[in-house]
Amino acid sequence: MNIQDNVIMMDHGSGGLTSDRLIRDRILPVLGNPLLDKLGDGAVFDVAGSRLAFTTDGYVVDPIFFPGGSIGDLAVFGTVNDLSMCGAKPLYLSCALIMEEGFPLSDLDRILSDMAGAAKRAGVAIVTGDTKVVAKGAADKIFITTSGIGLVNGTPFDGRSIVPGDKIIVSGTLADHGCAILAARENLVISDGLVSDTAPLNHLTAAMFESGAAVKLLRDPTRGGLATILNEIAENTQLGVRVHEAAVPVRNEVTAFCGILGIDPLYVANEGKLVAVVSADDAEKLVKTMRNHDLGRDAAVIGEVTPAGLAPVTLVTRIGGERIIPMLTGEQLPRIC
Amino acid sequence: MNIQDNVIMMDHGSGGLTSDRLIRDRILPVLGNPLLDKLGDGAVFDVAGSRLAFTTDGYVVDPIFFPGGSIGDLAVFGTVNDLSMCGAKPLYLSCALIMEEGFPLSDLDRILSDMAGAAKRAGVAIVTGDTKVVAKGAADKIFITTSGIGLVNGTPFDGRSIVPGDKIIVSGTLADHGCAILAARENLVISDGLVSDTAPLNHLTAAMFESGAAVKLLRDPTRGGLATILNEIAENTQLGVRVHEAAVPVRNEVTAFCGILGIDPLYVANEGKLVAVVSADDAEKLVKTMRNHDLGRDAAVIGEVTPAGLAPVTLVTRIGGERIIPMLTGEQLPRIC
């Protein structure tokens, strides 16, 4: 028997196919319930007549400081964004720190300051927390787990109303976060232009809701990138997704960086971008609304939902060919968030 | 300048004086807000007319399996108990796993099974989660952070109504969890009687509320033990607390184990016990109610609130002397939860 069948491997944390199998084959059969089984960015439920969203994420990013941010604002924005993708207004966050003995207090101060700034920018409060310390070598510097509660007005997006013809929109350029982390980790000083996009999306999503556009699903393409989200949409709807390469916004520095390293930007993590599925009639209106917002100025329609085809997700290339975009296999960039 | 002033030390995670200073001197000045500043077992706030409690804890216990439980049920019960101490009925939990590459999947299965059993016993659902993997050596086996949401009926216990004469009650024997962990970690096979008390207290607290007794404060004496909770009560009320050694329930095996190792059971962690402050008139009634419950059968009045004296917390010994019970300094037992 292969050792890989018996132990946790790096790609169990990739957000891709192996993560998905770990969750579906080992976790859901034991812990599953109707809310957990949905595997959304968070759970949505009613408490005493209020519809709430609840989410959690552990942050283990390496390095803890990188161009554009740190583990501190990542931990706040990531949870704010997961709540926003549930159609919720983020309200309250919790924060659990696990630190290694010997971790510099000056680094902790910087991270706390980043968390405070991020909470202020997103308009949320960190209201409860926990601090644990483990011996030197038992953890790598600092891990932060944030959870969040948000208030949902109206029906949560569950994607059930998605039909062929619906448009796929992204809110801006892809792969910025993952490339910034990789360049910082490996000290690859290729360009000053590799900066994380970590940002709170709740103000953008609020503007999108207010526009009245028929948004059917929101997801943030973090671990596993756009490709993973599109495959999940195809799988959950039992429909197809077709994306047009020429329409996908990627910054030139990122395209060059990915080209050199042989990485596909469609699989690279983002931390301040969203994917929306919207009815075709409302797509242009929604893009216009998003472009009026600082975090949506590069928003674009990148593709559409199709009837189920030979492959769940396909990409129409710049030269007019079509290739399959499969689920991520293996681990492309560990500890990206 | 001393290195200890510049880096995280083990006793920053002790739950005692150094933890308290880290939180008050470094975290609250940056992240503080009226809810976080209360430093309770969780935060209590209103959302759309509902009063909710919200809490989080990271679990780094070593070993991950021990007599009486595992990191899995500890992570569920700990968060259930924190919500219960807020006067809330626990409803929904989140779970974020951080695992080390190479962690055995059989151990993960066992932990997930324990979490499922614990959630069932407590009557809560784990509704959202996250899974991260770090390279071998970047974390010690598995860390679990759970957060929880509960519904508060009535006014949360903030201890403001505590007056001299109020009674201090504990729900059962002290120091069982910490001693079980220490014995398991060091392979000290001294007695079969060292078993963790990890258990969900929400059913017990529900019975306590239903009794109508004037409960003024509930706390669970985890890290730092009973001594830490009593010092926090004294500090927050600016009153004194006097405890009678002969009244404090400690199992014989635990007394013997602590005696051999020179540990004071008042500072050792519990994971299925609570401390209640109640008006003197209701104390006996409340103890009787608690003793009717499986998890409260050793409940006892152990002391009383006094006017502020020379020391915040004192212990009347079996031979009639009185000694000061200070805040925990240093780290007695790391990674106890």
Side-chain angles (χ1 to χ4, degrees):
Chain A
M1 195 184 279
N2 195 322
I3 180 74
Q4 301 188 10
D5 297 332
N6 298 324
V7 301
I8 287 288
M9 307 295 290
M10 289 306 289
D11 54 351
H12 280 117
S14 68
L17 197 60
T18 317
S19 300
D20 192 61
R21 285 195 182 144
L22 177 73
I23 292 165
R24 289 185 195 275
D25 297 348
R26 294 195 107 89
I27 297 181
L28 290 189
V30 182
L31 288 184
N33 56 62
L35 289 168
L36 188 65
D37 293 351
K38 287 185 182 166
L39 296 180
D41 285 317
V44 175
F45 46 78
D46 292 342
V47 174
S50 307
R51 181 154 291 175
L52 302 178
F54 183 31
T55 187
T56 194
D57 260 323
Y59 293 87
V60 299
V61 65
D62 172 36
I64 54 175
F65 302 107
F66 47 83
S70 74
I71 192 171
D73 35 31
L74 204 62
V76 171
F77 293 150
T79 288
V80 162
N81 291 350
D82 281 343
L83 292 172
S84 303
M85 297 309 110
C86 296
K89 175 183 160 67
L91 298 174
Y92 297 108
L93 264 56
S94 68
C95 167
L97 306 174
I98 297 174
M99 292 181 284
E100 177 186 25
E101 181 187 20
F103 184 66
L105 285 170
S106 56
D107 284 355
L108 176 62
D109 289 341
R110 227 176 121 187
I111 290 166
L112 292 171
S113 170
D114 285 349
M115 295 190 81
K120 191 177 175 187
R121 184 171 166 202
V124 298
I126 298 167
V127 295
T128 189
D130 182 49
T131 305
K132 291 286 177 357
V133 179
V134 297
K136 190 150 186 66
D140 186 13
K141 298 186 279 293
I142 184 169
F143 301 145
I144 302 179
T145 298
T146 50
S147 303
I149 296 177
L151 185 64
V152 181
N153 282 314
T155 311
F157 311 113
D158 60 6
R160 279 189 225 173
S161 58
I162 293 174
V163 293
D166 286 346
K167 297 295 182 184
I168 311 282
I169 292 174
V170 296
S171 61
T173 57
L174 295 181
D176 295 290
H177 176 73
C179 291
I181 294 294
L182 188 58
R185 188 186 303 162
E186 308 295 343
N187 288 311
L188 302 173
V189 188
I190 290 176
S191 163
D192 290 339
L194 297 175
V195 178
S196 170
D197 58 341
T198 179
L201 294 169
N202 53 322
H203 305 310
L204 175 63
T205 55
M208 292 167 67
F209 304 146
E210 280 162 23
S211 78
V215 177
K216 299 184 175 185
L217 188 72
L218 290 179
R219 295 295 304 273
D220 59 337
T222 55
R223 276 185 298 177
L226 176 69
T228 298
I229 295 296
L230 297 182
N231 273 281
E232 289 178 4
I233 291 172
E235 184 179 332
N236 292 340
T237 58
Q238 294 292 303
L239 297 169
V241 171
R242 185 172 52 219
V243 170
H244 304 273
E245 187 177 23
V248 177
V250 182
R251 294 169 61 246
N252 289 338
E253 296 91 331
V254 169
T255 302
F257 183 78
C258 287
I260 291 167
L261 296 181
I263 297 170
D264 185 340
L266 296 184
Y267 290 91
V268 176
N270 310 276
E271 289 291 342
K273 299 290 153 48
L274 63 81
V275 179
V277 182
V278 63
S279 66
D281 290 346
D282 288 351
E284 283 310 321
K285 181 174 87 172
L286 187 60
V287 166
K288 201 176 161 193
T289 299
M290 293 169 72
R291 286 185 175 166
N292 282 331
H293 193 282
D294 185 47
L295 293 174
R297 62 178 180 270
D298 297 318
V301 174
I302 61 163
E304 56 278 332
V305 177
T306 67
L310 287 177
V313 181
T314 56
L315 181 80
V316 180
T317 65
R318 286 173 199 277
I319 57 170
E322 197 159 359
R323 66 178 175 93
I324 294 171
I325 304 293
M327 279 287 273
L328 175 65
T329 53
E331 170 58 290
Q332 199 176 32
L333 299 169
R335 294 183 65 182
I336 211 74
C337 60
Chain B
M1 196 184 275
N2 194 323
I3 180 75
Q4 301 190 7
D5 296 332
N6 297 325
V7 301
I8 287 288
M9 307 295 290
M10 290 305 290
D11 54 349
H12 280 117
S14 68
L17 196 62
T18 318
S19 300
D20 191 62
R21 286 198 180 139
L22 176 74
I23 293 165
R24 289 185 194 276
D25 297 349
R26 294 194 108 89
I27 297 181
L28 290 189
V30 182
L31 289 184
N33 55 62
L35 288 168
L36 188 65
D37 293 352
K38 287 185 183 168
L39 296 179
D41 286 315
V44 175
F45 46 77
D46 293 342
V47 174
S50 307
R51 179 155 292 174
L52 303 177
F54 183 31
T55 187
T56 193
D57 260 321
Y59 294 86
V60 298
V61 66
D62 172 38
I64 55 176
F65 302 107
F66 48 81
S70 74
I71 191 172
D73 34 30
L74 205 61
V76 171
F77 293 150
T79 288
V80 163
N81 291 349
D82 281 344
L83 292 171
S84 303
M85 297 307 111
C86 296
K89 176 183 161 67
L91 299 174
Y92 298 109
L93 264 56
S94 68
C95 167
L97 306 175
I98 297 174
M99 291 180 286
E100 176 185 24
E101 181 188 20
F103 183 67
L105 285 170
S106 56
D107 283 354
L108 177 61
D109 290 341
R110 226 177 122 187
I111 290 166
L112 293 171
S113 170
D114 285 348
M115 295 191 80
K120 190 175 177 192
R121 184 171 165 202
V124 298
I126 298 168
V127 295
T128 189
D130 182 49
T131 305
K132 292 284 173 10
V133 179
V134 296
K136 191 151 186 66
D140 185 13
K141 299 186 279 288
I142 185 169
F143 302 144
I144 303 180
T145 298
T146 50
S147 303
I149 295 178
L151 185 63
V152 181
N153 282 313
T155 312
F157 310 113
D158 60 6
R160 277 190 227 173
S161 59
I162 293 174
V163 293
D166 286 346
K167 296 296 182 183
I168 311 285
I169 291 173
V170 297
S171 61
T173 57
L174 295 181
D176 295 291
H177 176 72
C179 291
I181 294 295
L182 189 58
R185 189 187 303 163
E186 307 296 344
N187 287 311
L188 301 172
V189 187
I190 291 179
S191 163
D192 290 340
L194 297 175
V195 178
S196 170
D197 58 341
T198 181
L201 293 170
N202 52 323
H203 305 308
L204 175 62
T205 55
M208 291 167 68
F209 304 147
E210 281 163 22
S211 78
V215 177
K216 299 182 174 186
L217 189 72
L218 289 179
R219 295 296 304 274
D220 60 337
T222 55
R223 276 184 300 177
L226 176 68
T228 299
I229 296 297
L230 297 182
N231 272 280
E232 288 178 6
I233 292 172
E235 185 179 332
N236 292 340
T237 58
Q238 294 292 303
L239 295 170
V241 171
R242 186 173 50 220
V243 170
H244 303 273
E245 188 176 21
V248 177
V250 183
R251 292 168 61 247
N252 289 338
E253 295 91 333
V254 170
T255 303
F257 183 79
C258 287
I260 290 165
L261 296 180
I263 298 169
D264 186 339
L266 296 184
Y267 290 91
V268 176
N270 310 277
E271 289 292 342
K273 299 292 153 50
L274 64 80
V275 179
V277 182
V278 62
S279 66
D281 292 346
D282 288 352
E284 282 309 322
K285 182 174 86 173
L286 187 61
V287 166
K288 200 175 161 191
T289 298
M290 293 170 73
R291 285 185 176 167
N292 282 331
H293 193 283
D294 185 48
L295 292 174
R297 60 178 182 270
D298 296 318
V301 174
I302 60 163
E304 56 276 333
V305 177
T306 67
L310 287 176
V313 182
T314 57
L315 180 81
V316 179
T317 65
R318 285 173 199 277
I319 57 168
E322 198 159 359
R323 67 178 174 93
I324 293 171
I325 304 293
M327 280 286 274
L328 176 65
T329 54
E331 170 59 290
Q332 199 177 32
L333 300 169
R335 296 184 63 183
I336 212 71
C337 61

